[in-house]
Amino acid sequence: MELKLTWHGHATWLLETGEHRILIDPFVNENPAATVKADDLTADFVLITHGHFDHVADAASIARRCSAKLIANFEIASWFQQHHHVEDTLGMNLGGSVSLPFGRLKMTVAHHSSQLPDGSYGGNPGGFLLELADRRLYFAGDTALFSDMRQIAAGGIDVAVLPIGDLFTMGPEDSIEAVQLIEPKVVIPAHYNTWPPIEQDVELWASAIREHTGAEPMVLEVGKTVSI
Ligand code: NI
Ligand code: MN
């Protein structure tokens, strides 16, 4: 089955199965790296990994306009419903899975923080393990390296999306170790080159992935759609 992926810069991803559009961590209007605005994006599902501004900023407007189902941890899902009038939300928590029209989704552990932009408690940060279109995808979210990534990836991962920007998340070196634990077929870098503090030489990163892991690095251009 066809599966398309578009990077809208930073940690914003659009997955398209042909039938469903799944938008992860929409942050484009104030994202200096993005080439689209929130009004250009449509989605059936909006997935949120954690409460930080650079992951939730455009979620409410898109979810409301598209009548999308917003999926996040319980605290964040409630926050969107109560404070941002997002009607269709699904709150879950770490380790939980759910079957959805596009496939199966599991909320995985991430080592990070999750305060919401207005100071509200944002629960625990997470990542997503998605099983759809005969593929298993792991969006790690904002996280440090942790050895349980091996456990999360048990059963095989086709595509892993990992942060490499450093400072707020793991950096390039730790991402190499993460790939050694996850052993995905393909690894895609995220959360870098949005602002100067998280600038990285992604070509250098890609060579290191080729040299030290069995995964194929796939560096996406912002705004460009690829088949995965
Ligand atoms: Ni964050
Ligand atoms: Mn972030």
Side-chain angles (χ1 to χ4, degrees):
M1 204 190 291
E2 196 184 18
L3 189 56
K4 288 193 215 157
L5 182 67
T6 309
W7 186 36
H8 286 298
H10 203 55
T12 303
W13 300 93
L14 178 68
L15 266 171
E16 294 170 277
T17 65
E19 239 186 304
H20 302 286
R21 295 164 69 84
I22 303 146
L23 185 63
I24 302 175
D25 287 354
F27 166 60
V28 289
N29 284 354
E30 292 181 48
N31 173 353
T35 55
V36 297
K37 292 293 178 194
D39 285 348
D40 303 323
L41 295 173
T42 58
D44 311 302
F45 297 90
V46 176
L47 275 46
I48 303 293
T49 60
H50 66 290
H52 291 158
F53 177 78
D54 56 321
H55 299 258
V56 303
D58 296 313
S61 69
I62 296 168
R64 281 198 307 259
R65 175 172 46 80
C66 301
S67 302
K69 182 186 279 296
L70 185 145
I71 302 171
N73 71 31
F74 191 85
E75 291 82 359
I76 292 173
S78 306
W79 183 79
F80 274 107
Q81 191 156 58
Q82 288 166 12
H83 299 289
H84 294 278
H85 313 288
V86 175
E87 283 183 14
D88 189 4
T89 64
L90 174 63
M92 53 192 305
N93 215 325
L94 299 176
S97 320
V98 60
S99 285
L100 292 157
F102 61 80
R104 196 145 177 90
L105 175 156
K106 184 175 193 179
M107 184 170 277
T108 59
V109 167
H111 288 279
H112 192 66
S113 53
S114 183
Q115 192 177 46
L116 285 154
D118 64 359
S120 296
Y121 175 60
N124 289 310
F128 292 111
L129 186 64
L130 299 174
E131 293 179 19
L132 73 171
D134 306 319
R135 292 171 191 75
R136 285 164 59 87
L137 316 179
Y138 173 43
F139 290 84
D142 280 16
T143 185
L145 170 68
F146 55 99
S147 60
D148 282 355
M149 283 179 167
R150 185 187 290 284
Q151 187 62 42
I152 289 169
I157 297 293
D158 294 297
V159 179
V161 176
L162 302 179
I164 68 158
D166 218 339
L167 191 64
F168 304 115
T169 66
M170 63 176 152
E173 276 182 35
D174 282 357
S175 79
I176 305 284
E177 270 193 68
V179 171
Q180 289 166 346
L181 293 167
I182 299 162
E183 298 185 322
K185 289 180 190 150
V186 170
V187 58
I188 298 177
H191 214 277
Y192 70 97
N193 289 3
T194 320
W195 302 284
I198 55 171
E199 253 166 41
Q200 296 297 341
D201 182 337
V202 76
E203 288 312 320
L204 209 62
W205 171 85
S207 329
I209 290 287
R210 284 198 189 94
E211 192 178 339
H212 300 292
T213 80
E216 177 60 31
M218 185 186 269
V219 175
L220 268 65
E221 233 175 85
V222 174
K224 200 179 156 205
T225 301
V226 296
S227 289
I228 56 169

